[in-house]
Amino acid sequence: MIPEGPIAESIAQLTLALTVIGAVVYAGFLIVLVIGVRRRGEADDEQVVTGDRDAPLGLGTPSSRWLVIGGGVVLPAVVVVVVFAWTLETMLDIPVRAPADAMTIEVVGERWQWNVRYPESGIELTDELVIPADRPVALELRSVDVIHSFWVPQLAGKLDAFPDGTNVLVVQAAGPGEFRGQCAEFCGLLHADMTMVVTALSESDFERWTEANR
Ligand SMILES: [Cu+2]
């Protein structure tokens, strides 16, 4: 799924980075494993030929020591630091509070629908959200019953909606468009039907929409 906003973009980049780094580490591990098994096999053959059960396996040489220190300590440390730093940077990219220029909309989960309310205009919607594009929108998430989770992957990460408090999820669309969302916390029989359509409109179209629906 292609990210359609800066927050989702940042998350998608981290996902790609973790996938690629994980694949490279796994491939490297498999290669070393195969080499190790084959060498061990050769050493075993040697023991059979000479009858010497204490014949060295070649692990005490300086080059193999460097392989153990480099591949077993230094390389994993580098990978962990890179992954940690990248993850931290992405987390810092994701706003946890409404930015100053954000528009606030209340989104309340209720088995099995999303009730949307615009505090400024009083507009109310169900299972759909209309937002201005190119501007952060702070969704005040709550629930009236069980825990739900608001998730529109193309715009932002997912965030739980609790019955006893408000969570703020900041979403942002890079341009006008339509984006689908889904409740991401199993909430009962019709959980799968708890969907959401987010329509991002240009600033002027959004103003027109607001006036028409006020
Ligand atoms: Cu739900």
Side-chain angles (χ1 to χ4, degrees):
M1 195 168 281
I2 300 158
E4 298 285 353
I7 300 165
E9 178 74 49
S10 185
I11 296 170
Q13 275 172 9
L14 176 66
T15 308
L16 181 66
L18 293 183
T19 307
V20 170
I21 292 171
V24 169
V25 167
Y26 185 61
F29 161 76
L30 285 183
I31 290 168
V32 173
L33 180 70
V34 168
I35 292 172
V37 167
R38 294 181 80 172
R39 276 207 190 157
R40 178 68 208 225
E42 285 164 17
D44 284 347
D45 292 346
E46 192 89 344
Q47 285 174 350
V48 171
V49 171
T50 60
D52 179 8
R53 295 204 60 82
D54 295 325
L57 298 175
L59 286 174
T61 62
S63 66
S64 66
R65 261 201 298 276
W66 278 113
L67 188 68
V68 170
I69 294 169
V73 181
V74 178
L75 194 63
V78 168
V79 170
V80 167
V81 167
V82 168
V83 165
F84 180 69
W86 203 320
T87 304
L88 214 58
E89 208 217 317
T90 304
M91 288 171 77
L92 293 173
D93 275 352
I94 300 171
V96 289
R97 251 171 238 105
D101 57 337
M103 175 183 180
T104 298
I105 303 173
E106 297 166 10
V107 178
V108 180
E110 179 181 7
R111 286 188 293 182
W112 288 276
Q113 65 185 48
W114 295 106
N115 300 320
V116 174
R117 191 177 161 272
Y118 296 71
E120 285 159 39
S121 59
I123 295 172
E124 292 184 357
L125 301 172
T126 302
D127 289 342
E128 64 171 321
L129 190 59
V130 179
I131 60 171
D134 233 351
R135 181 182 162 186
V137 175
L139 304 178
E140 294 188 343
L141 301 177
R142 279 187 304 114
S143 166
V144 294
D145 39 49
V146 297
I147 299 172
H148 301 277
S149 183
F150 188 93
W151 191 31
V152 181
Q154 283 171 293
L155 300 183
K158 64 179 89 155
L159 190 64
D160 281 358
F162 292 114
D164 57 353
T166 302
N167 274 345
V168 175
L169 177 71
V170 180
V171 299
Q172 187 170 344
E178 203 177 273
F179 316 104
R180 300 195 66 83
Q182 164 72 48
C183 177
E185 180 73 53
F186 180 70
C187 55
L189 196 61
L190 297 180
H191 162 69
D193 287 346
M194 198 162 163
T195 56
M196 162 68 77
V197 176
V198 180
T199 307
L201 302 174
S202 66
E203 196 79 44
S204 55
D205 282 350
F206 182 78
E207 270 165 34
R208 228 169 290 142
W209 176 84
T210 305
E211 284 315 308
N213 292 278
R214 194 183 279 278

mmCIF file of all heavy atoms in Angstrom, residues 100-139:
data_model
loop_
_atom_site.group_PDB
_atom_site.id
_atom_site.type_symbol
_atom_site.label_atom_id
_atom_site.label_comp_id
_atom_site.label_asym_id
_atom_site.label_seq_id
_atom_site.Cartn_x
_atom_site.Cartn_y
_atom_site.Cartn_z
ATOM 1 N N ALA A 100 0.076 23.017 16.110
ATOM 2 C CA ALA A 100 -0.638 24.298 16.236
ATOM 3 C C ALA A 100 -1.604 24.548 15.072
ATOM 4 O O ALA A 100 -2.692 25.096 15.261
ATOM 5 C CB ALA A 100 0.380 25.430 16.344
ATOM 6 N N ASP A 101 -1.199 24.124 13.860
ATOM 7 C CA ASP A 101 -2.040 24.418 12.690
ATOM 8 C C ASP A 101 -3.023 23.285 12.395
ATOM 9 O O ASP A 101 -3.636 23.257 11.331
ATOM 10 C CB ASP A 101 -1.153 24.667 11.459
ATOM 11 C CG ASP A 101 -0.231 23.476 11.172
ATOM 12 O OD1 ASP A 101 0.040 22.702 12.105
ATOM 13 O OD2 ASP A 101 0.186 23.331 10.014
ATOM 14 N N ALA A 102 -3.157 22.352 13.335
ATOM 15 C CA ALA A 102 -4.017 21.192 13.069
ATOM 16 C C ALA A 102 -5.490 21.520 13.251
ATOM 17 O O ALA A 102 -5.862 22.405 14.017
ATOM 18 C CB ALA A 102 -3.637 20.040 13.996
ATOM 19 N N MET A 103 -6.309 20.780 12.532
ATOM 20 C CA MET A 103 -7.746 20.878 12.708
ATOM 21 C C MET A 103 -8.167 19.686 13.578
ATOM 22 O O MET A 103 -7.655 18.585 13.414
ATOM 23 C CB MET A 103 -8.388 20.766 11.333
ATOM 24 C CG MET A 103 -9.852 20.728 11.410
ATOM 25 S SD MET A 103 -10.532 20.510 9.776
ATOM 26 C CE MET A 103 -12.209 20.516 10.284
ATOM 27 N N THR A 104 -9.082 19.928 14.513
ATOM 28 C CA THR A 104 -9.465 18.861 15.435
ATOM 29 C C THR A 104 -10.827 18.271 15.068
ATOM 30 O O THR A 104 -11.774 19.000 14.777
ATOM 31 C CB THR A 104 -9.505 19.405 16.875
ATOM 32 O OG1 THR A 104 -8.195 19.855 17.226
ATOM 33 C CG2 THR A 104 -9.941 18.330 17.856
ATOM 34 N N ILE A 105 -10.897 16.953 15.051
ATOM 35 C CA ILE A 105 -12.161 16.257 14.781
ATOM 36 C C ILE A 105 -12.313 15.151 15.828
ATOM 37 O O ILE A 105 -11.340 14.467 16.159
ATOM 38 C CB ILE A 105 -12.161 15.635 13.358
ATOM 39 C CG1 ILE A 105 -11.908 16.707 12.293
ATOM 40 C CG2 ILE A 105 -13.481 14.925 13.081
ATOM 41 C CD1 ILE A 105 -11.714 16.141 10.886
ATOM 42 N N GLU A 106 -13.525 14.983 16.347
ATOM 43 C CA GLU A 106 -13.765 13.923 17.330
ATOM 44 C C GLU A 106 -14.209 12.650 16.610
ATOM 45 O O GLU A 106 -15.097 12.687 15.756
ATOM 46 C CB GLU A 106 -14.876 14.350 18.302
ATOM 47 C CG GLU A 106 -14.513 15.570 19.129
ATOM 48 C CD GLU A 106 -15.737 16.173 19.829
ATOM 49 O OE1 GLU A 106 -16.814 15.536 19.827
ATOM 50 O OE2 GLU A 106 -15.591 17.288 20.351
ATOM 51 N N VAL A 107 -13.584 11.545 16.960
ATOM 52 C CA VAL A 107 -13.938 10.252 16.364
ATOM 53 C C VAL A 107 -14.225 9.282 17.509
ATOM 54 O O VAL A 107 -13.352 8.993 18.320
ATOM 55 C CB VAL A 107 -12.800 9.714 15.476
ATOM 56 C CG1 VAL A 107 -13.159 8.356 14.907
ATOM 57 C CG2 VAL A 107 -12.491 10.685 14.349
ATOM 58 N N VAL A 108 -15.463 8.794 17.556
ATOM 59 C CA VAL A 108 -15.866 7.931 18.665
ATOM 60 C C VAL A 108 -16.246 6.548 18.128
ATOM 61 O O VAL A 108 -17.153 6.417 17.302
ATOM 62 C CB VAL A 108 -17.051 8.556 19.435
ATOM 63 C CG1 VAL A 108 -17.461 7.640 20.589
ATOM 64 C CG2 VAL A 108 -16.681 9.931 19.967
ATOM 65 N N GLY A 109 -15.565 5.536 18.630
ATOM 66 C CA GLY A 109 -15.878 4.168 18.235
ATOM 67 C C GLY A 109 -17.069 3.656 19.019
ATOM 68 O O GLY A 109 -17.184 3.878 20.219
ATOM 69 N N GLU A 110 -17.965 2.966 18.315
ATOM 70 C CA GLU A 110 -19.135 2.390 18.970
ATOM 71 C C GLU A 110 -19.473 1.126 18.201
ATOM 72 O O GLU A 110 -19.606 1.179 16.979
ATOM 73 C CB GLU A 110 -20.305 3.386 18.900
ATOM 74 C CG GLU A 110 -21.564 2.851 19.524
ATOM 75 C CD GLU A 110 -22.729 3.848 19.412
ATOM 76 O OE1 GLU A 110 -22.571 4.882 18.734
ATOM 77 O OE2 GLU A 110 -23.787 3.556 19.979
ATOM 78 N N ARG A 111 -19.573 -0.024 18.889
ATOM 79 C CA ARG A 111 -19.823 -1.258 18.142
ATOM 80 C C ARG A 111 -21.034 -1.085 17.237
ATOM 81 O O ARG A 111 -22.133 -0.898 17.736
ATOM 82 C CB ARG A 111 -20.026 -2.428 19.103
ATOM 83 C CG ARG A 111 -18.682 -2.872 19.722
ATOM 84 C CD ARG A 111 -18.781 -4.109 20.507
ATOM 85 N NE ARG A 111 -19.585 -3.911 21.708
ATOM 86 C CZ ARG A 111 -19.799 -4.862 22.623
ATOM 87 N NH1 ARG A 111 -19.271 -6.049 22.465
ATOM 88 N NH2 ARG A 111 -20.536 -4.623 23.663
ATOM 89 N N TRP A 112 -20.903 -1.161 15.897
ATOM 90 C CA TRP A 112 -19.679 -1.330 15.160
ATOM 91 C C TRP A 112 -19.590 -0.234 14.112
ATOM 92 O O TRP A 112 -19.710 -0.480 12.935
ATOM 93 C CB TRP A 112 -19.658 -2.712 14.500
ATOM 94 C CG TRP A 112 -19.455 -3.818 15.516
ATOM 95 C CD1 TRP A 112 -18.252 -4.252 16.001
ATOM 96 C CD2 TRP A 112 -20.438 -4.622 16.172
ATOM 97 N NE1 TRP A 112 -18.427 -5.275 16.918
ATOM 98 C CE2 TRP A 112 -19.754 -5.516 17.031
ATOM 99 C CE3 TRP A 112 -21.836 -4.649 16.136
ATOM 100 C CZ2 TRP A 112 -20.435 -6.436 17.841
ATOM 101 C CZ3 TRP A 112 -22.501 -5.559 16.941
ATOM 102 C CH2 TRP A 112 -21.787 -6.447 17.780
ATOM 103 N N GLN A 113 -19.357 0.959 14.567
ATOM 104 C CA GLN A 113 -19.240 2.091 13.653
ATOM 105 C C GLN A 113 -18.394 3.191 14.271
ATOM 106 O O GLN A 113 -18.086 3.174 15.463
ATOM 107 C CB GLN A 113 -20.628 2.652 13.315
ATOM 108 C CG GLN A 113 -21.354 3.249 14.532
ATOM 109 C CD GLN A 113 -22.773 3.678 14.203
ATOM 110 O OE1 GLN A 113 -23.503 2.911 13.587
ATOM 111 N NE2 GLN A 113 -23.140 4.886 14.604
ATOM 112 N N TRP A 114 -17.999 4.131 13.412
ATOM 113 C CA TRP A 114 -17.250 5.301 13.864
ATOM 114 C C TRP A 114 -18.161 6.525 13.787
ATOM 115 O O TRP A 114 -18.675 6.851 12.726
ATOM 116 C CB TRP A 114 -16.025 5.537 12.981
ATOM 117 C CG TRP A 114 -14.991 4.461 13.039
ATOM 118 C CD1 TRP A 114 -14.740 3.519 12.075
ATOM 119 C CD2 TRP A 114 -14.058 4.220 14.100
ATOM 120 N NE1 TRP A 114 -13.704 2.710 12.482
ATOM 121 C CE2 TRP A 114 -13.266 3.111 13.704
ATOM 122 C CE3 TRP A 114 -13.805 4.817 15.338
ATOM 123 C CZ2 TRP A 114 -12.248 2.593 14.512
ATOM 124 C CZ3 TRP A 114 -12.787 4.301 16.119
ATOM 125 C CH2 TRP A 114 -12.019 3.209 15.708
ATOM 126 N N ASN A 115 -18.356 7.192 14.915
ATOM 127 C CA ASN A 115 -19.145 8.420 14.924
ATOM 128 C C ASN A 115 -18.204 9.619 14.891
ATOM 129 O O ASN A 115 -17.374 9.793 15.780
ATOM 130 C CB ASN A 115 -20.026 8.480 16.176
ATOM 131 C CG ASN A 115 -20.993 7.299 16.236
ATOM 132 O OD1 ASN A 115 -21.549 6.888 15.218
ATOM 133 N ND2 ASN A 115 -21.165 6.732 17.410
ATOM 134 N N VAL A 116 -18.356 10.410 13.847
ATOM 135 C CA VAL A 116 -17.435 11.528 13.625
ATOM 136 C C VAL A 116 -18.155 12.850 13.887
ATOM 137 O O VAL A 116 -19.300 13.039 13.474
ATOM 138 C CB VAL A 116 -16.919 11.495 12.156
ATOM 139 C CG1 VAL A 116 -16.083 12.727 11.842
ATOM 140 C CG2 VAL A 116 -16.116 10.225 11.918
ATOM 141 N N ARG A 117 -17.487 13.740 14.596
ATOM 142 C CA ARG A 117 -18.095 15.045 14.882
ATOM 143 C C ARG A 117 -17.061 16.160 14.748
ATOM 144 O O ARG A 117 -15.948 16.041 15.259
ATOM 145 C CB ARG A 117 -18.686 15.048 16.294
ATOM 146 C CG ARG A 117 -19.557 16.234 16.562
ATOM 147 C CD ARG A 117 -20.211 16.205 17.928
ATOM 148 N NE ARG A 117 -20.643 17.561 18.242
ATOM 149 C CZ ARG A 117 -19.873 18.467 18.835
ATOM 150 N NH1 ARG A 117 -18.666 18.164 19.209
ATOM 151 N NH2 ARG A 117 -20.323 19.701 19.041
ATOM 152 N N TYR A 118 -17.466 17.222 14.045
ATOM 153 C CA TYR A 118 -16.593 18.395 13.869
ATOM 154 C C TYR A 118 -17.003 19.440 14.892
ATOM 155 O O TYR A 118 -18.091 20.024 14.779
ATOM 156 C CB TYR A 118 -16.752 18.961 12.445
ATOM 157 C CG TYR A 118 -16.290 18.002 11.361
ATOM 158 C CD1 TYR A 118 -17.015 16.849 11.073
ATOM 159 C CD2 TYR A 118 -15.128 18.239 10.638
ATOM 160 C CE1 TYR A 118 -16.585 15.963 10.096
ATOM 161 C CE2 TYR A 118 -14.696 17.360 9.650
ATOM 162 C CZ TYR A 118 -15.435 16.227 9.394
ATOM 163 O OH TYR A 118 -15.010 15.343 8.432
ATOM 164 N N PRO A 119 -16.180 19.695 15.911
ATOM 165 C CA PRO A 119 -16.578 20.610 16.997
ATOM 166 C C PRO A 119 -16.897 22.022 16.507
ATOM 167 O O PRO A 119 -17.799 22.672 17.038
ATOM 168 C CB PRO A 119 -15.355 20.631 17.921
ATOM 169 C CG PRO A 119 -14.479 19.535 17.489
ATOM 170 C CD PRO A 119 -14.824 19.179 16.090
ATOM 171 N N GLU A 120 -16.180 22.489 15.479
ATOM 172 C CA GLU A 120 -16.382 23.873 15.030
ATOM 173 C C GLU A 120 -17.691 24.066 14.279
ATOM 174 O O GLU A 120 -18.426 25.017 14.522
ATOM 175 C CB GLU A 120 -15.222 24.320 14.136
ATOM 176 C CG GLU A 120 -13.957 24.627 14.922
ATOM 177 C CD GLU A 120 -12.712 24.568 14.046
ATOM 178 O OE1 GLU A 120 -12.789 25.025 12.892
ATOM 179 O OE2 GLU A 120 -11.692 24.059 14.516
ATOM 180 N N SER A 121 -18.002 23.146 13.369
ATOM 181 C CA SER A 121 -19.189 23.330 12.528
ATOM 182 C C SER A 121 -20.384 22.512 13.029
ATOM 183 O O SER A 121 -21.506 22.728 12.593
ATOM 184 C CB SER A 121 -18.860 22.915 11.094
ATOM 185 O OG SER A 121 -18.445 21.564 11.081
ATOM 186 N N GLY A 122 -20.134 21.552 13.929
ATOM 187 C CA GLY A 122 -21.225 20.717 14.420
ATOM 188 C C GLY A 122 -21.630 19.612 13.460
ATOM 189 O O GLY A 122 -22.586 18.869 13.721
ATOM 190 N N ILE A 123 -20.909 19.455 12.359
ATOM 191 C CA ILE A 123 -21.235 18.411 11.378
ATOM 192 C C ILE A 123 -20.989 17.026 12.002
ATOM 193 O O ILE A 123 -20.017 16.832 12.730
ATOM 194 C CB ILE A 123 -20.363 18.562 10.107
ATOM 195 C CG1 ILE A 123 -20.698 19.874 9.401
ATOM 196 C CG2 ILE A 123 -20.539 17.371 9.167
ATOM 197 C CD1 ILE A 123 -19.775 20.198 8.251
ATOM 198 N N GLU A 124 -21.910 16.093 11.738
ATOM 199 C CA GLU A 124 -21.733 14.729 12.235
ATOM 200 C C GLU A 124 -21.782 13.744 11.078
ATOM 201 O O GLU A 124 -22.609 13.876 10.181
ATOM 202 C CB GLU A 124 -22.821 14.406 13.266
ATOM 203 C CG GLU A 124 -22.636 15.215 14.538
ATOM 204 C CD GLU A 124 -23.639 14.857 15.631
ATOM 205 O OE1 GLU A 124 -24.516 14.013 15.362
ATOM 206 O OE2 GLU A 124 -23.534 15.429 16.726
ATOM 207 N N LEU A 125 -20.900 12.763 11.104
ATOM 208 C CA LEU A 125 -20.837 11.748 10.056
ATOM 209 C C LEU A 125 -20.701 10.373 10.703
ATOM 210 O O LEU A 125 -20.315 10.268 11.863
ATOM 211 C CB LEU A 125 -19.608 11.961 9.152
ATOM 212 C CG LEU A 125 -19.457 13.291 8.407
ATOM 213 C CD1 LEU A 125 -18.087 13.358 7.750
ATOM 214 C CD2 LEU A 125 -20.554 13.436 7.360
ATOM 215 N N THR A 126 -21.029 9.337 9.918
ATOM 216 C CA THR A 126 -20.829 7.969 10.396
ATOM 217 C C THR A 126 -19.973 7.207 9.392
ATOM 218 O O THR A 126 -20.269 7.216 8.192
ATOM 219 C CB THR A 126 -22.189 7.257 10.562
ATOM 220 O OG1 THR A 126 -22.977 8.017 11.472
ATOM 221 C CG2 THR A 126 -22.007 5.854 11.115
ATOM 222 N N ASP A 127 -18.936 6.576 9.890
ATOM 223 C CA ASP A 127 -18.043 5.750 9.077
ATOM 224 C C ASP A 127 -17.406 6.501 7.917
ATOM 225 O O ASP A 127 -16.941 5.884 6.957
ATOM 226 C CB ASP A 127 -18.775 4.510 8.537
ATOM 227 C CG ASP A 127 -19.053 3.510 9.661
ATOM 228 O OD1 ASP A 127 -18.394 3.617 10.713
ATOM 229 O OD2 ASP A 127 -19.921 2.645 9.476
ATOM 230 N N GLU A 128 -17.433 7.811 7.963
ATOM 231 C CA GLU A 128 -16.680 8.561 6.961
ATOM 232 C C GLU A 128 -16.125 9.825 7.575
ATOM 233 O O GLU A 128 -16.640 10.342 8.566
ATOM 234 C CB GLU A 128 -17.530 8.868 5.727
ATOM 235 C CG GLU A 128 -18.709 9.755 5.983
ATOM 236 C CD GLU A 128 -19.382 10.210 4.681
ATOM 237 O OE1 GLU A 128 -18.661 10.498 3.709
ATOM 238 O OE2 GLU A 128 -20.609 10.281 4.665
ATOM 239 N N LEU A 129 -15.038 10.251 6.972
ATOM 240 C CA LEU A 129 -14.316 11.390 7.504
ATOM 241 C C LEU A 129 -13.907 12.242 6.310
ATOM 242 O O LEU A 129 -13.380 11.724 5.329
ATOM 243 C CB LEU A 129 -13.078 10.857 8.245
ATOM 244 C CG LEU A 129 -12.243 11.779 9.099
ATOM 245 C CD1 LEU A 129 -13.088 12.393 10.200
ATOM 246 C CD2 LEU A 129 -11.098 10.989 9.721
ATOM 247 N N VAL A 130 -14.196 13.528 6.386
ATOM 248 C CA VAL A 130 -13.764 14.439 5.323
ATOM 249 C C VAL A 130 -12.749 15.394 5.942
ATOM 250 O O VAL A 130 -13.029 16.019 6.966
ATOM 251 C CB VAL A 130 -14.968 15.214 4.735
ATOM 252 C CG1 VAL A 130 -14.508 16.181 3.652
ATOM 253 C CG2 VAL A 130 -15.989 14.238 4.161
ATOM 254 N N ILE A 131 -11.574 15.437 5.348
ATOM 255 C CA ILE A 131 -10.512 16.269 5.921
ATOM 256 C C ILE A 131 -9.915 17.189 4.860
ATOM 257 O O ILE A 131 -9.984 16.896 3.668
ATOM 258 C CB ILE A 131 -9.371 15.405 6.532
ATOM 259 C CG1 ILE A 131 -8.737 14.508 5.462
ATOM 260 C CG2 ILE A 131 -9.875 14.568 7.696
ATOM 261 C CD1 ILE A 131 -7.463 13.793 5.920
ATOM 262 N N PRO A 132 -9.330 18.302 5.294
ATOM 263 C CA PRO A 132 -8.591 19.129 4.337
ATOM 264 C C PRO A 132 -7.242 18.483 4.042
ATOM 265 O O PRO A 132 -6.600 17.961 4.950
ATOM 266 C CB PRO A 132 -8.418 20.458 5.091
ATOM 267 C CG PRO A 132 -8.522 20.116 6.534
ATOM 268 C CD PRO A 132 -9.360 18.882 6.657
ATOM 269 N N ALA A 133 -6.843 18.475 2.768
ATOM 270 C CA ALA A 133 -5.550 17.888 2.396
ATOM 271 C C ALA A 133 -4.421 18.830 2.780
ATOM 272 O O ALA A 133 -4.644 20.024 3.010
ATOM 273 C CB ALA A 133 -5.521 17.609 0.901
ATOM 274 N N ASP A 134 -3.229 18.265 2.871
ATOM 275 C CA ASP A 134 -2.029 19.086 3.062
ATOM 276 C C ASP A 134 -2.001 19.829 4.390
ATOM 277 O O ASP A 134 -1.374 20.884 4.493
ATOM 278 C CB ASP A 134 -1.917 20.110 1.912
ATOM 279 C CG ASP A 134 -0.548 20.026 1.262
ATOM 280 O OD1 ASP A 134 0.313 19.325 1.815
ATOM 281 O OD2 ASP A 134 -0.362 20.663 0.211
ATOM 282 N N ARG A 135 -2.697 19.299 5.373
ATOM 283 C CA ARG A 135 -2.753 19.970 6.658
ATOM 284 C C ARG A 135 -2.936 18.900 7.734
ATOM 285 O O ARG A 135 -3.712 17.965 7.532
ATOM 286 C CB ARG A 135 -3.978 20.904 6.634
ATOM 287 C CG ARG A 135 -4.160 21.704 7.885
ATOM 288 C CD ARG A 135 -5.405 22.557 7.779
ATOM 289 N NE ARG A 135 -5.801 22.972 9.110
ATOM 290 C CZ ARG A 135 -6.915 23.634 9.386
ATOM 291 N NH1 ARG A 135 -7.743 23.957 8.399
ATOM 292 N NH2 ARG A 135 -7.201 23.973 10.604
ATOM 293 N N PRO A 136 -2.221 19.002 8.868
ATOM 294 C CA PRO A 136 -2.411 17.983 9.897
ATOM 295 C C PRO A 136 -3.808 18.036 10.499
ATOM 296 O O PRO A 136 -4.351 19.124 10.728
ATOM 297 C CB PRO A 136 -1.341 18.313 10.944
ATOM 298 C CG PRO A 136 -0.907 19.700 10.671
ATOM 299 C CD PRO A 136 -1.201 20.000 9.235
ATOM 300 N N VAL A 137 -4.387 16.881 10.718
ATOM 301 C CA VAL A 137 -5.709 16.791 11.323
ATOM 302 C C VAL A 137 -5.574 15.946 12.590
ATOM 303 O O VAL A 137 -5.091 14.811 12.540
ATOM 304 C CB VAL A 137 -6.715 16.137 10.354
ATOM 305 C CG1 VAL A 137 -8.064 15.944 11.032
ATOM 306 C CG2 VAL A 137 -6.870 16.979 9.095
ATOM 307 N N ALA A 138 -5.969 16.509 13.723
ATOM 308 C CA ALA A 138 -5.871 15.792 14.994
ATOM 309 C C ALA A 138 -7.195 15.103 15.277
ATOM 310 O O ALA A 138 -8.230 15.753 15.438
ATOM 311 C CB ALA A 138 -5.519 16.761 16.114
ATOM 312 N N LEU A 139 -7.161 13.766 15.310
ATOM 313 C CA LEU A 139 -8.375 13.012 15.603
ATOM 314 C C LEU A 139 -8.393 12.690 17.090
ATOM 315 O O LEU A 139 -7.468 12.051 17.604
ATOM 316 C CB LEU A 139 -8.412 11.727 14.778
ATOM 317 C CG LEU A 139 -8.296 11.906 13.258
ATOM 318 C CD1 LEU A 139 -8.303 10.542 12.568
ATOM 319 C CD2 LEU A 139 -9.435 12.775 12.728
#
